[in-house]
PDB file of all heavy atoms in Angstrom:
ATOM      1  N   HIS A  73       3.315  49.460   8.689  1.00  0.00           N
ATOM      2  CA  HIS A  73       4.439  49.023   7.897  1.00  0.00           C
ATOM      3  C   HIS A  73       5.245  50.166   7.297  1.00  0.00           C
ATOM      4  O   HIS A  73       6.456  50.142   7.341  1.00  0.00           O
ATOM      5  CB  HIS A  73       3.939  48.091   6.784  1.00  0.00           C
ATOM      6  CG  HIS A  73       4.708  46.824   6.754  1.00  0.00           C
ATOM      7  ND1 HIS A  73       4.501  45.821   7.679  1.00  0.00           N
ATOM      8  CD2 HIS A  73       5.682  46.389   5.933  1.00  0.00           C
ATOM      9  CE1 HIS A  73       5.311  44.835   7.429  1.00  0.00           C
ATOM     10  NE2 HIS A  73       6.040  45.138   6.378  1.00  0.00           N
ATOM     11  N   GLU A  74       4.548  51.106   6.740  1.00  0.00           N
ATOM     12  CA  GLU A  74       5.257  52.169   6.040  1.00  0.00           C
ATOM     13  C   GLU A  74       6.172  52.923   6.998  1.00  0.00           C
ATOM     14  O   GLU A  74       7.336  53.139   6.734  1.00  0.00           O
ATOM     15  CB  GLU A  74       4.272  53.166   5.405  1.00  0.00           C
ATOM     16  CG  GLU A  74       3.541  52.610   4.201  1.00  0.00           C
ATOM     17  CD  GLU A  74       2.384  51.743   4.600  1.00  0.00           C
ATOM     18  OE1 GLU A  74       1.727  52.075   5.605  1.00  0.00           O
ATOM     19  OE2 GLU A  74       2.122  50.716   3.953  1.00  0.00           O
ATOM     20  N   SER A  75       5.586  53.247   8.112  1.00  0.00           N
ATOM     21  CA  SER A  75       6.371  54.030   9.048  1.00  0.00           C
ATOM     22  C   SER A  75       7.542  53.217   9.582  1.00  0.00           C
ATOM     23  O   SER A  75       8.597  53.757   9.879  1.00  0.00           O
ATOM     24  CB  SER A  75       5.482  54.478  10.210  1.00  0.00           C
ATOM     25  OG  SER A  75       5.015  53.343  10.902  1.00  0.00           O
ATOM     26  N   ALA A  76       7.321  51.947   9.651  1.00  0.00           N
ATOM     27  CA  ALA A  76       8.364  51.105  10.219  1.00  0.00           C
ATOM     28  C   ALA A  76       9.618  51.130   9.372  1.00  0.00           C
ATOM     29  O   ALA A  76      10.723  50.980   9.876  1.00  0.00           O
ATOM     30  CB  ALA A  76       7.857  49.691  10.365  1.00  0.00           C
ATOM     31  N   HIS A  77       9.433  51.320   8.105  1.00  0.00           N
ATOM     32  CA  HIS A  77      10.605  51.233   7.267  1.00  0.00           C
ATOM     33  C   HIS A  77      11.220  52.580   6.954  1.00  0.00           C
ATOM     34  O   HIS A  77      12.103  52.691   6.116  1.00  0.00           O
ATOM     35  CB  HIS A  77      10.267  50.483   5.975  1.00  0.00           C
ATOM     36  CG  HIS A  77      10.056  49.034   6.228  1.00  0.00           C
ATOM     37  ND1 HIS A  77      11.073  48.178   6.556  1.00  0.00           N
ATOM     38  CD2 HIS A  77       8.917  48.298   6.243  1.00  0.00           C
ATOM     39  CE1 HIS A  77      10.603  46.980   6.751  1.00  0.00           C
ATOM     40  NE2 HIS A  77       9.271  47.006   6.560  1.00  0.00           N
ATOM     41  N   GLN A  78      10.731  53.582   7.604  1.00  0.00           N
ATOM     42  CA  GLN A  78      11.352  54.888   7.448  1.00  0.00           C
ATOM     43  C   GLN A  78      12.761  54.854   8.031  1.00  0.00           C
ATOM     44  O   GLN A  78      12.975  54.330   9.113  1.00  0.00           O
ATOM     45  CB  GLN A  78      10.555  55.939   8.230  1.00  0.00           C
ATOM     46  CG  GLN A  78       9.122  56.082   7.777  1.00  0.00           C
ATOM     47  CD  GLN A  78       9.023  56.827   6.471  1.00  0.00           C
ATOM     48  OE1 GLN A  78       9.826  57.733   6.234  1.00  0.00           O
ATOM     49  NE2 GLN A  78       8.082  56.456   5.617  1.00  0.00           N
ATOM     50  N   PRO A  79      13.680  55.384   7.279  1.00  0.00           N
ATOM     51  CA  PRO A  79      15.027  55.445   7.851  1.00  0.00           C
ATOM     52  C   PRO A  79      15.046  56.371   9.059  1.00  0.00           C
ATOM     53  O   PRO A  79      14.421  57.420   9.073  1.00  0.00           O
ATOM     54  CB  PRO A  79      15.870  56.007   6.699  1.00  0.00           C
ATOM     55  CG  PRO A  79      14.917  56.644   5.765  1.00  0.00           C
ATOM     56  CD  PRO A  79      13.621  55.957   5.932  1.00  0.00           C
ATOM     57  N   LYS A  80      15.746  55.951  10.021  1.00  0.00           N
ATOM     58  CA  LYS A  80      15.772  56.713  11.275  1.00  0.00           C
ATOM     59  C   LYS A  80      17.189  57.226  11.506  1.00  0.00           C
ATOM     60  O   LYS A  80      18.160  56.561  11.176  1.00  0.00           O
ATOM     61  CB  LYS A  80      15.377  55.814  12.447  1.00  0.00           C
ATOM     62  CG  LYS A  80      13.904  55.481  12.456  1.00  0.00           C
ATOM     63  CD  LYS A  80      13.203  56.365  13.452  1.00  0.00           C
ATOM     64  CE  LYS A  80      11.692  56.261  13.315  1.00  0.00           C
ATOM     65  NZ  LYS A  80      11.017  57.265  14.088  1.00  0.00           N
ATOM     66  N   ASN A  81      17.231  58.351  12.087  1.00  0.00           N
ATOM     67  CA  ASN A  81      18.540  58.821  12.509  1.00  0.00           C
ATOM     68  C   ASN A  81      18.905  58.131  13.808  1.00  0.00           C
ATOM     69  O   ASN A  81      18.163  58.198  14.790  1.00  0.00           O
ATOM     70  CB  ASN A  81      18.501  60.331  12.754  1.00  0.00           C
ATOM     71  CG  ASN A  81      18.453  61.059  11.419  1.00  0.00           C
ATOM     72  OD1 ASN A  81      18.901  60.522  10.409  1.00  0.00           O
ATOM     73  ND2 ASN A  81      17.893  62.254  11.440  1.00  0.00           N
ATOM     74  N   ILE A  82      19.981  57.472  13.759  1.00  0.00           N
ATOM     75  CA  ILE A  82      20.355  56.807  14.982  1.00  0.00           C
ATOM     76  C   ILE A  82      21.552  57.497  15.584  1.00  0.00           C
ATOM     77  O   ILE A  82      22.499  57.884  14.898  1.00  0.00           O
ATOM     78  CB  ILE A  82      20.643  55.324  14.757  1.00  0.00           C
ATOM     79  CG1 ILE A  82      21.478  55.123  13.468  1.00  0.00           C
ATOM     80  CG2 ILE A  82      19.361  54.538  14.636  1.00  0.00           C
ATOM     81  CD1 ILE A  82      21.964  53.728  13.296  1.00  0.00           C
ATOM     82  N   SER A  83      21.457  57.656  16.878  1.00  0.00           N
ATOM     83  CA  SER A  83      22.513  58.383  17.551  1.00  0.00           C
ATOM     84  C   SER A  83      23.652  57.449  17.938  1.00  0.00           C
ATOM     85  O   SER A  83      24.778  57.879  18.122  1.00  0.00           O
ATOM     86  CB  SER A  83      21.947  59.063  18.801  1.00  0.00           C
ATOM     87  OG  SER A  83      21.270  58.099  19.563  1.00  0.00           O
ATOM     88  N   GLU A  84      23.333  56.175  18.094  1.00  0.00           N
ATOM     89  CA  GLU A  84      24.414  55.259  18.468  1.00  0.00           C
ATOM     90  C   GLU A  84      24.176  53.916  17.779  1.00  0.00           C
ATOM     91  O   GLU A  84      23.078  53.643  17.264  1.00  0.00           O
ATOM     92  CB  GLU A  84      24.437  55.056  19.981  1.00  0.00           C
ATOM     93  CG  GLU A  84      23.098  54.607  20.523  1.00  0.00           C
ATOM     94  CD  GLU A  84      23.079  54.583  22.019  1.00  0.00           C
ATOM     95  OE1 GLU A  84      23.659  53.641  22.571  1.00  0.00           O
ATOM     96  OE2 GLU A  84      22.508  55.499  22.634  1.00  0.00           O
ATOM     97  N   VAL A  85      25.170  53.086  17.822  1.00  0.00           N
ATOM     98  CA  VAL A  85      25.057  51.779  17.185  1.00  0.00           C
ATOM     99  C   VAL A  85      24.237  50.866  18.082  1.00  0.00           C
ATOM    100  O   VAL A  85      24.536  50.702  19.249  1.00  0.00           O
ATOM    101  CB  VAL A  85      26.455  51.168  16.966  1.00  0.00           C
ATOM    102  CG1 VAL A  85      26.332  49.765  16.424  1.00  0.00           C
ATOM    103  CG2 VAL A  85      27.245  52.049  16.023  1.00  0.00           C
ATOM    104  N   ALA A  86      23.210  50.326  17.484  1.00  0.00           N
ATOM    105  CA  ALA A  86      22.398  49.402  18.264  1.00  0.00           C
ATOM    106  C   ALA A  86      23.130  48.077  18.390  1.00  0.00           C
ATOM    107  O   ALA A  86      23.669  47.562  17.416  1.00  0.00           O
ATOM    108  CB  ALA A  86      21.062  49.185  17.580  1.00  0.00           C
ATOM    109  N   ILE A  87      23.176  47.624  19.588  1.00  0.00           N
ATOM    110  CA  ILE A  87      23.833  46.328  19.789  1.00  0.00           C
ATOM    111  C   ILE A  87      22.923  45.228  19.295  1.00  0.00           C
ATOM    112  O   ILE A  87      23.305  44.378  18.511  1.00  0.00           O
ATOM    113  CB  ILE A  87      24.191  46.133  21.270  1.00  0.00           C
ATOM    114  CG1 ILE A  87      25.145  47.234  21.678  1.00  0.00           C
ATOM    115  CG2 ILE A  87      24.817  44.759  21.478  1.00  0.00           C
ATOM    116  CD1 ILE A  87      25.423  47.279  23.137  1.00  0.00           C
ATOM    117  N   VAL A  88      21.727  45.269  19.769  1.00  0.00           N
ATOM    118  CA  VAL A  88      20.712  44.417  19.152  1.00  0.00           C
ATOM    119  C   VAL A  88      19.502  45.303  18.946  1.00  0.00           C
ATOM    120  O   VAL A  88      19.342  46.325  19.600  1.00  0.00           O
ATOM    121  CB  VAL A  88      20.314  43.227  20.044  1.00  0.00           C
ATOM    122  CG1 VAL A  88      21.402  42.203  20.093  1.00  0.00           C
ATOM    123  CG2 VAL A  88      19.912  43.690  21.414  1.00  0.00           C
ATOM    124  N   SER A  89      18.706  44.885  18.060  1.00  0.00           N
ATOM    125  CA  SER A  89      17.480  45.649  17.893  1.00  0.00           C
ATOM    126  C   SER A  89      16.327  44.677  17.808  1.00  0.00           C
ATOM    127  O   SER A  89      16.481  43.534  17.380  1.00  0.00           O
ATOM    128  CB  SER A  89      17.555  46.504  16.632  1.00  0.00           C
ATOM    129  OG  SER A  89      17.828  45.663  15.535  1.00  0.00           O
TER     130      SER A  89
END
Side-chain angles (χ1 to χ4, degrees):
Chain A
H73 231 76
E74 288 81 37
S75 63
H77 289 289
Q78 300 285 326
K80 288 260 169 190
N81 286 335
I82 43 172
S83 52
E84 54 187 284
V85 175
I87 299 172
V88 288
S89 56

